[in-house]
Amino acid sequence: MMKKPPAPTQNQFDNKAQAWSARFSEPVSDLVKRYTASVDFDKRLALFDIQGSLAHAEMLATVQVITPQDFADIRRGMAQIRDEILAGQFQWLIDLEDVHLNIEKRLVELVGDAGKRLHTGRSRNDQVATDIRLWLRTEIDTLIVLLQQFRHALATVALAEAGTILPGFTHMQVAQPVTFGHHLLAYAEMFGRDADRLADCRKRVNVLPLGAAALAGTSFPIDRPQVADLLGFDDVCRNSLDAVSDRDFAIEFCAAAALIMTHISRLSEELVIWMSPRVGFIDLADRFCTGSSIMPQKKNPDVPELARGKTGRVNGNLVALLTLMKGQPLAYNKDNQEDKEGLFDSADTVRDTLTIFVDLVGGIRVKPEAMRAAALQGFATATDLADYLVKRGVPFRDAHEAVAHAVRECELKGCDLADLSVAELRQFHAAVQDDVHSVLTLEGSVAARAHIGGTAPVRVREAAQKILAQTA
Ligand code: ARG
């Protein structure tokens, strides 16, 4: 036979701080309290929580679920709470678990019954989903502006260096000459797509969950379009179960953030290589580097290295969020509380990184002589010689072979293709004419690639100017 549980006595524990304490017969331990609380990190949603609550209260007053006086009281209380938060005077209590309950408790302290009516027809489940979306919308807007500033900075350097030649690499082997401007504009393309991706993600962020309440909706005559309108949402979530449990929008954002950092990381890798004394293509401003505590000669590219490193955590946040969601049945589960720290961290990391990189790119000092010297090694114009023969009727495969022989000969002699005389070059193919050296110069090579998307200085200038105008 089952034993009857002891009847809970009144005031068995002094845990009245918790909104549901009436239902429980024993308090949670301090560790469990800490384990389940989110206020330490979700308090950064506070102003969005207030914004959402005010819209909800205004709607409740419009549909006469609360009185105009209640709404006025709630507004007054929230104004004071906002002031307290901004002044750093608000008392955040871990006993109150999260940002929502902390603010609600203070509201009740300040305005009494009106504060107790605020939560009518809503749940923390739709409340938190709304807060995150309001917050993320603002973050996305900031990041899009930063991405455009970054593209502007890249295009500014690209315009100045539209004619600066360096070797382009494949497999980290010298491939063909390109211009430094062209190289930088490749990144401007990536960050342009990143901005588009964020703008697209924003469309799905900017939809209102409020009204879904805990999961099934509410029996009160709520006006969801009014709340959406007040909060600047484009639409309302169409299914209450989905509204409270969907975190696709956060995953999409984390994926977009991971791609931004991946692009930053690729650029960082190049900056580190370019700045290595063995390469010496660029120098970074001292404010982005540090020295060594032991080796006096060192100037280390710390900022690009750290950005490359921080890409790991932003990629990790994406995987964490995907993993968080994969096992969850509908609708809300407490697991969802784990969505925030990674999401916040991704937004913070990308924001800080982009802010620094706008300045960092502007501070790149280009060393054109080193770039040129590197482009002159490694037979970067071999393809141009092959193309030259093709233009004189030689099939491309034959031209390729003839030039390969020439390159081999140069390697033996320790010289460049351009160092061979016309007569010497003609030994490799009879189609070689007196004008052959015009295509063996670096300038001739890049200028010849003047189609859309090519590395010719004229095209690079055009492309840079276009981006500068777009991002002005
Ligand atoms: N702090 C919670 C979160 O971040 C708020 C929602 C709580 N809902 C609940 N049913 N326990 O997800």
Side-chain angles (χ1 to χ4, degrees), residues 71-377:
F71 177 44
D73 289 346
I74 289 170
R75 265 215 314 240
R76 175 172 49 82
M78 286 300 198
Q80 178 167 341
I81 292 172
R82 178 186 281 124
D83 289 347
E84 288 174 4
I85 291 169
L86 291 175
Q89 287 161 354
F90 191 89
Q91 275 235 325
W92 298 103
L93 298 175
I94 199 174
D95 278 327
L96 293 170
E97 194 179 307
D98 58 23
V99 60
H100 324 292
L101 293 175
N102 269 273
I103 290 179
E104 192 183 324
K105 173 87 184 319
R106 179 74 181 130
L107 183 70
V108 173
E109 268 172 28
L110 290 171
V111 305
D113 280 356
K116 292 186 192 165
R117 293 199 177 98
L118 170 63
H119 211 52
T120 312
R122 125 183 136 164
S123 150
R124 278 184 299 155
N125 298 352
D126 57 346
Q127 189 179 352
V128 70
T130 303
D131 292 2
I132 301 172
R133 286 171 186 257
L134 285 170
W135 167 82
L136 187 53
R137 186 175 76 181
T138 317
E139 291 295 316
I140 287 176
D141 292 342
T142 304
L143 292 183
I144 289 176
V145 170
L146 278 170
L147 281 166
Q148 298 307 0
Q149 288 174 357
F150 189 31
R151 296 181 74 226
H152 197 88
L154 286 164
T156 303
V157 184
L159 187 61
E161 306 298 339
T164 307
I165 296 174
L166 79 166
F169 295 87
T170 59
H171 314 274
M172 276 305 277
Q173 310 280 326
V174 170
Q176 294 173 346
V178 294
T179 55
F180 190 54
H182 194 54
H183 199 117
L184 291 180
L185 289 187
Y187 286 100
E189 291 294 314
M190 295 178 224
F191 295 114
R193 290 194 296 276
D194 288 333
D196 288 349
R197 229 179 317 270
L198 283 181
D200 196 58
C201 169
R202 190 190 194 282
K203 292 184 207 156
R204 284 172 293 280
V205 170
N206 204 32
V207 184
L208 175 78
L210 215 56
L215 77 166
T218 171
S219 60
F220 292 97
I222 56 171
D223 182 348
R224 299 186 68 207
Q226 185 194 348
V227 180
D229 230 39
L230 287 169
L231 294 174
F233 283 109
D234 297 324
D235 203 352
V236 300
C237 298
R238 295 286 152 186
N239 180 295
S240 64
L241 295 168
D242 183 48
V244 290
S245 62
D246 164 45
R247 293 295 182 271
D248 291 4
F249 68 91
I251 293 175
E252 274 189 61
F253 173 79
C254 284
L259 259 175
I260 295 172
M261 288 306 291
T262 297
H263 294 150
I264 294 259
S265 186
R266 296 186 69 184
L267 174 60
S268 296
E269 173 73 5
E270 301 220 78
L271 293 170
V272 170
I273 292 172
W274 291 340
M275 208 184 125
S276 155
R278 295 294 291 267
V279 177
F281 287 180
I282 62 159
D283 203 5
L284 288 179
D286 284 358
R287 62 184 180 280
F288 304 111
C289 303
T290 60
S292 159
S293 56
I294 174 169
M295 298 164 283
Q297 85 283 14
K298 292 290 283 285
K299 177 174 164 185
N300 299 328
D302 283 34
V303 167
E305 286 174 302
L306 254 181
R308 194 174 57 189
K310 284 177 188 287
T311 304
R313 64 200 273 168
V314 175
N315 289 353
N317 292 336
L318 169 62
V319 175
L321 202 46
L322 281 166
T323 313
L324 175 73
M325 295 310 294
K326 74 175 273 298
Q328 287 196 52
L330 293 179
Y332 178 89
N333 303 281
K334 185 74 169 180
D335 314 39
N336 281 337
Q337 183 166 288
E338 284 289 305
D339 62 355
K340 287 170 209 58
E341 284 166 291
L343 181 64
F344 294 162
D345 181 65
S346 284
D348 292 344
T349 306
V350 175
R351 193 194 331 97
D352 289 351
T353 306
L354 285 173
T355 305
I356 293 172
F357 267 65
V358 171
D359 189 20
L360 180 142
V361 161
I364 290 178
R365 193 168 71 75
V366 177
K367 299 177 171 174
E369 335 70 49
M371 290 183 177
R372 187 174 185 85
L376 287 170
Q377 292 162 9

Side-chain angles (χ1 to χ4, degrees), residues 396-415:
F396 181 76
R397 281 293 156 224
D398 294 342
H400 184 281
E401 190 178 327
V403 176
H405 284 297
V407 165
R408 213 159 132 188
E409 175 77 6
C410 286
E411 262 177 347
L412 290 172
K413 285 188 161 170
C415 69

